[in-house]
Amino acid sequence: MTIKGVLFDKDGTLIDVNNTWVPIYRQLLSDQFQIGVDGIEILMEKAGYDRASGTFLPGSILAGGTTRQLIEIWWPGLDDAGIAEKIRLLDHDYAPLVKDSLAPLMPLEPVLSELRAMGLKLGVATNDSHVSARNHMMHIGIIEHFEDIIAADTVPVAKPSGNMIKR
């Protein structure tokens, strides 16, 4: 069997999850929703943040869930219009905040360039939205390496279902 490509998860593989998303979520909850420090910590913990270690717990919605799953934890009981509004806010309106805060896990350009030089096709699979994932790859300057970015809103069922590989 010949390997023809590599499909990367975005957060935790390409993006440093804790150093990127912890400060972003805290700032977002404070600035956009006027939530105080104690309220922010409660919401972060509800979504899988471990305050003691300062990291996301395995299986955390914050680290691996979809935007909709996060909204359903932070704002339970919203109707479809309310959920759509929060998705728009998190996936589109907060993009400028994320642009300056994304932290790659390591220097990615040399690794991705070498893999492409080997003739491999590269892709990204994420539970983020497609627009967010594309923006993130553009912001860290590696978008040109990827043949495809497969996101939660581009498949019938998000990760870990396997739909992203079957597409």
Side-chain angles (χ1 to χ4, degrees), residues 68-101:
R68 183 181 187 99
Q69 289 171 323
L70 182 58
I71 289 166
E72 289 172 350
I73 287 173
W74 281 353
W75 298 284
L78 285 179
D79 62 11
D80 286 342
I83 290 171
E85 174 61 21
K86 296 281 193 235
I87 288 173
R88 183 194 57 74
L89 181 76
L90 293 176
D91 285 346
H92 298 276
D93 295 355
Y94 85 114
L97 171 65
V98 173
K99 181 178 181 180
D100 297 329
S101 302

Side-chain angles (χ1 to χ4, degrees), residues 1-100:
M1 175 195 269
T2 302
I3 296 173
K4 297 179 182 178
V6 178
L7 186 62
F8 291 93
D9 180 48
K10 184 176 71 70
D11 292 314
T13 305
L14 301 173
I15 303 294
D16 183 332
V17 174
N18 295 301
N19 288 324
T20 294
W21 297 111
V22 171
I24 287 173
Y25 284 133
R26 283 186 173 139
Q27 186 173 350
L28 176 78
L29 290 167
S30 174
D31 295 351
Q32 296 293 321
F33 302 105
Q34 291 74 49
I35 298 172
V37 174
D38 291 338
I40 289 170
E41 292 308 308
I42 290 168
L43 289 175
M44 294 285 284
E45 287 176 345
K46 283 176 73 173
Y49 176 71
D50 179 32
R51 194 185 316 198
S53 68
T55 62
F56 296 114
L57 296 168
S60 162
I61 293 299
L62 284 170
T66 66
T67 303
R68 183 181 187 99
Q69 289 171 323
L70 182 58
I71 289 166
E72 289 172 350
I73 287 173
W74 281 353
W75 298 284
L78 285 179
D79 62 11
D80 286 342
I83 290 171
E85 174 61 21
K86 296 281 193 235
I87 288 173
R88 183 194 57 74
L89 181 76
L90 293 176
D91 285 346
H92 298 276
D93 295 355
Y94 85 114
L97 171 65
V98 173
K99 181 178 181 180
D100 297 329

Side-chain angles (χ1 to χ4, degrees), residues 59-162:
S60 162
I61 293 299
L62 284 170
T66 66
T67 303
R68 183 181 187 99
Q69 289 171 323
L70 182 58
I71 289 166
E72 289 172 350
I73 287 173
W74 281 353
W75 298 284
L78 285 179
D79 62 11
D80 286 342
I83 290 171
E85 174 61 21
K86 296 281 193 235
I87 288 173
R88 183 194 57 74
L89 181 76
L90 293 176
D91 285 346
H92 298 276
D93 295 355
Y94 85 114
L97 171 65
V98 173
K99 181 178 181 180
D100 297 329
S101 302
L102 282 170
L105 196 60
M106 63 179 151
L108 296 170
E109 180 63 36
V111 173
L112 299 175
S113 290
E114 186 172 339
L115 291 171
R116 287 191 61 211
M118 294 167 61
L120 295 170
K121 294 182 178 185
L122 306 180
V124 175
T126 181
N127 271 346
D128 277 354
S129 71
H130 189 259
V131 69
S132 289
R134 283 193 57 77
N135 284 339
H136 299 166
M137 296 301 98
M138 277 193 302
H139 295 327
I140 61 173
I142 59 171
I143 187 82
E144 71 278 357
H145 290 291
F146 298 105
E147 300 272 330
D148 200 1
I149 295 177
I150 308 163
D153 57 355
T154 65
V155 293
V157 182
K159 293 187 316 178
S161 74

